[in-house]
């Protein structure tokens, strides 16, 4: 068990207007922390006028836009990235990879800065469906631009470690909660349209993690004394299956029971669909992608042994409370 220190302030958060970013900024402000929030988007209405918050609007991929901010801060939590299982590889590289490079270059200006990089379990690739995923596993086979860019982020982190940067990596599993676009809003839309979303019945661990639990791991990773170069998974380990989660979500949306599709058929549709959509340069994503199939069609065994032992992590929001929060969110929106 490692020692924890007080969080170094101010805390600089990139991607602050995103799903996880907003929740993280609210948590920091609720805890009375000084926050510098950076995002391409303007400050959300829910954060405008918040005490202790400085909002910076800009493009993370522009050279050294964070130079002044990092010299004034004690912690950097880097969330800014392209999120989604579709899109041009060039766009993912420009935002996620080059944005991270520019962020790390700026971070080198502050020798006492602690950097936490939010990665993803997609870096495990095909290993997600093969067995227990622990942090010492090598990076796996990628299935699209999202997993490719996330692996590239982690390789950059290793390079900058060699240059003296104190960087720690957190790999969240499938993050759900109020405001989640892929795992709540988009999935709810598909359920309402009766699109088959359960792969092979979905009777296997979905690898869910509530956004509050991700925020907790990020903050603990920033506080741990000997965390330099360490990697931590973030998952709930409650064994909630895709069938249970999608059925619960369907109830909340007033949608019919989730429909099932065989995994072999889903794989064929993903391969053919991706080729066809790229051929016509479609902006919309195909009905299913190989990236998505690797998540919704796999039995997740994401180990939290290291995170619990090293960071003293304890679950903040269990599934039943997360579901109750979703019920309120869906009813109001």
């Amino acid at each position: 068990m490692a020692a924890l220190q007080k969080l170094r302030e101010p805390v600089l958060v990139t991607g602050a207007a995103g799903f996880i970013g907003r929740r993280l900024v609210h948590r920091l402000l609720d805890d009375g922390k000084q926050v510098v929030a950076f995002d391409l988007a303007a400050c959300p209405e829910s954060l405008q006028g918040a005490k202790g918050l400085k909002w910076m609007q800009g493009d993370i991929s522009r050279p050294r836009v964070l130079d002044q901010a990092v010299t004034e801060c004690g912690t950097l939590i880097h969330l800014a990235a392209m999120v989604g299982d579709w899109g041009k590889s060039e766009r993912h590289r420009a935002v996620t990879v080059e944005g991270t490079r520019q962020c790390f270059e700026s971070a080198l200006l502050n020798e006492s800065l602690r950097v936490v990089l939010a990665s993803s379990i997609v870096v495990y690739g095909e290993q997600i469906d093969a067995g227990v995923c622990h942090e010492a596993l090598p990076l796996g086979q990628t299935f699209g631009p999202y997993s490719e860019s996330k692996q590239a982020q982690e390789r950059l982190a290793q390079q900058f470690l060699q240059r003296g940067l104190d960087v720690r990596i957190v790999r969240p599993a499938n993050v759900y909660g109020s405001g989640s676009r892929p795992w709540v809003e988009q999935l709810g839309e598909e359920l309402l349209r009766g699109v088959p979303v359960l792969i092979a019945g979905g009777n296997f661990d979905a690898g869910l993690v509530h956004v509050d639990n991700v925020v907790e791991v990020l903050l603990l990773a920033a506080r741990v004394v000997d965390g330099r170069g360490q990697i931590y998974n973030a998952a709930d380990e409650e064994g909630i299956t895709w069938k249970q989660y999608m059925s619960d979500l369907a109830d909340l949306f007033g949608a019919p029971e989730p429909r099932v599709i065989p995994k072999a058929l889903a794989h064929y549709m993903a391969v053919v669909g991706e080729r066809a959509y790229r051929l016509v340069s479609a902006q919309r994503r195909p009905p299913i992608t190989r990236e998505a199939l690797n998540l919704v069609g796999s039995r997740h065994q994401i180990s939290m042994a290291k995170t619990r032992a090293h960071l003293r992590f304890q679950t903040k929001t269990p599934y039943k409370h997360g579901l109750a929060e979703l019920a309120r969110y869906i009813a109001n929106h």
Side-chain angles (χ1 to χ4, degrees), residues 6-226:
K6 183 179 179 181
L7 189 67
R8 296 177 179 177
E9 298 180 64
V11 182
L12 173 59
V13 179
T14 69
F19 166 50
I20 299 175
R22 291 194 308 274
R23 192 68 68 106
L24 173 60
V25 171
H26 277 292
R27 165 71 184 277
L28 289 167
L29 294 175
D30 287 345
D31 289 348
K33 307 300 182 185
Q34 295 294 310
V35 180
V36 178
F38 185 92
D39 202 286
L40 187 62
C43 182
E45 186 177 342
S46 62
L47 289 168
Q48 290 178 9
K51 183 180 178 181
L53 174 65
K54 176 183 178 182
W55 192 272
M56 296 178 62
Q57 189 173 1
D59 185 347
I60 193 71
S61 62
R62 290 184 58 195
R64 311 301 289 266
V65 295
L66 292 177
D67 281 5
Q68 182 176 352
V70 298
T71 59
E72 300 171 352
C73 294
T75 303
L76 164 60
I77 301 180
H78 181 47
L79 298 169
M82 281 281 289
V83 179
D85 59 338
W86 190 244
K88 293 184 177 181
S89 297
E90 295 81 3
R91 181 61 177 159
H92 280 267
R93 284 196 297 269
V95 176
T96 303
V97 183
E98 292 310 313
T100 297
R101 187 190 306 278
Q102 296 300 334
C103 187
F104 286 175
E105 288 286 359
S106 294
L108 286 174
L109 298 174
N110 184 344
E111 293 182 356
S112 64
L113 188 71
R114 283 183 177 171
V115 180
V116 180
L117 169 66
S119 181
S120 168
I121 60 163
V122 297
V123 300
Y124 293 120
E126 84 290 351
Q127 298 171 107
I128 292 176
D129 198 33
V132 178
C133 289
H134 54 81
E135 294 88 345
L137 280 178
L139 302 181
Q141 174 190 340
T142 58
F143 293 97
Y146 182 65
S147 51
E148 290 168 3
S149 63
K150 282 297 177 181
Q151 287 191 359
Q153 271 190 317
E154 293 203 10
R155 293 190 184 98
L156 277 175
Q158 297 302 324
Q159 294 173 18
F160 277 82
L161 275 166
Q162 299 302 314
R163 294 174 61 183
L165 189 65
D166 181 349
V167 59
R168 302 105 189 270
I169 297 172
V170 172
R171 293 173 176 168
N174 300 315
V175 191
Y176 79 102
S178 300
S180 168
R181 182 64 182 152
W183 299 124
V184 176
E185 296 173 3
Q186 287 180 335
L187 188 53
E189 291 167 3
E190 293 180 346
L191 287 165
L192 286 166
R193 290 190 289 116
V195 176
V197 291
L198 278 179
I199 309 299
N203 286 302
F204 37 82
D205 196 323
L208 295 176
V209 58
H210 190 271
V211 61
D212 287 345
N213 299 328
V214 175
V215 166
E216 183 70 10
V217 177
L218 290 169
L219 294 176
L220 289 171
R223 292 176 55 203
V224 67
V225 174
D226 58 348

